[in-house]
Amino acid sequence: MMRDMVTCFNEHAVRISETTCSSSTIQSCISHGQTPSPSIQNAVICQYRISLSNQGQLLVTLTWCRNHMGQGLNVGFGDDPSTTSLNLNNAISRFFRKKKGSKSFEHDGSKITVFWDLSNATYCSGPEPIDGFCLVLMVGSELGLVLGDLAQELANKKLKNGTQMAKFCLVSRREHYSGNGLYSTKAQFCEKGVAHEIMIRCVEGSEGMKQPVLSVSIDKRTVTKVNRLEWNFRGNQTIFVDGLLVDLLWDVHDWFFNPVCGSAVFMFRTRSGMDNRLWLQQGEKTVISHQENKEHERVEFSLLIYAI
């Protein structure tokens, strides 16, 4: 499961700082107490879709990672970020240490320029900065991606000069953890929605029950609870968040049957606009409430949590 994770430093990536991703030693993911300590977040992989004025689209993958040497950022492009046209494998390592700068290159017939400033970035417990940073992406003559609290100033300068702003959206987010059986994060399931607190706990059963129990809560409200997890190691459930149908899936098979190199996966996935129908019961009649056209075109979003 870890093989599909883009390494922090591969030969086809924009390397912002000189660090590498590393896996932690496999630890027990079943907590033996009711109040486990939070697991450590090692990497966050975000994929954005940029929609250009010429109807073209570009996928951009950001990989934030952390190890004992510090924070790292990798920027990949296209459906397979590892095969982007930019190759910096033989570049001078001095470039990788720069926390502020810009880099231009050609990708799929378009000129792409990346501006970044991580010199004053602040971090919480994970590899992703929370403020004090800037990451801006230009695709041709369009402003494609604007991230960070310091990015708006640069974006405003570009817009004043007549630069066109493309549309971009977050389509998937992957978070990699190691440690105890407590995984806490936040996710926004739709563009105009709020960020929800998500907590996944895996602990021993109470009242003398030693069988592990899995519970998932959103905004401190339990949305699913799985007893006898060793026998119910795969499953799914549909929940409602912000009026949307969200599929919750879990697969913890490797925790029990491949503990040496396996990991568990939890996924929250919104349905597309066409699939996202609200079924309302009115007496004996079932009414299917379709969304407006714009709702039908809603982009699916998925959050994956990898736990080892």
Side-chain angles (χ1 to χ4, degrees), residues 22-34:
S22 61
S23 299
S24 299
T25 303
I26 298 297
Q27 302 180 27
S28 173
C29 295
I30 309 299
S31 175
H32 299 285
Q34 291 299 314

Side-chain angles (χ1 to χ4, degrees), residues 81-189:
S82 66
T83 58
T84 181
S85 58
L86 181 63
N87 190 328
L88 296 179
N89 189 48
N90 297 320
I92 301 175
S93 60
R94 174 176 54 83
F95 170 74
F96 303 150
R97 299 193 187 103
K98 294 174 62 176
K99 293 186 176 181
K100 180 178 180 179
S102 63
K103 184 69 176 178
S104 298
F105 59 96
E106 293 288 329
H107 173 73
D108 199 21
S110 298
K111 179 183 178 181
I112 297 179
T113 304
V114 182
F115 302 90
W116 73 92
D117 186 353
L118 303 175
S119 55
N120 295 312
T122 58
Y123 301 83
C124 189
S125 58
E128 195 175 19
I130 57 175
D131 57 33
F133 76 101
C134 164
L135 182 63
V136 175
L137 190 73
M138 292 283 298
V139 183
S141 59
E142 296 185 54
L143 199 58
L145 191 63
V146 179
L147 299 175
D149 56 322
L150 303 183
Q152 197 58 50
E153 181 179 355
L154 176 59
N156 290 337
K157 292 180 180 179
K158 296 291 183 181
L159 293 174
K160 287 181 179 179
N161 294 331
T163 301
Q164 187 173 353
M165 182 72 190
K167 295 181 180 180
F168 71 91
C169 61
L170 178 65
V171 295
S172 71
R173 178 180 173 91
R174 284 183 287 167
E175 302 182 7
H176 294 252
Y177 291 85
S178 61
N180 295 314
L182 176 61
Y183 311 96
S184 178
T185 186
K186 291 185 177 182
Q188 183 176 330
F189 292 96

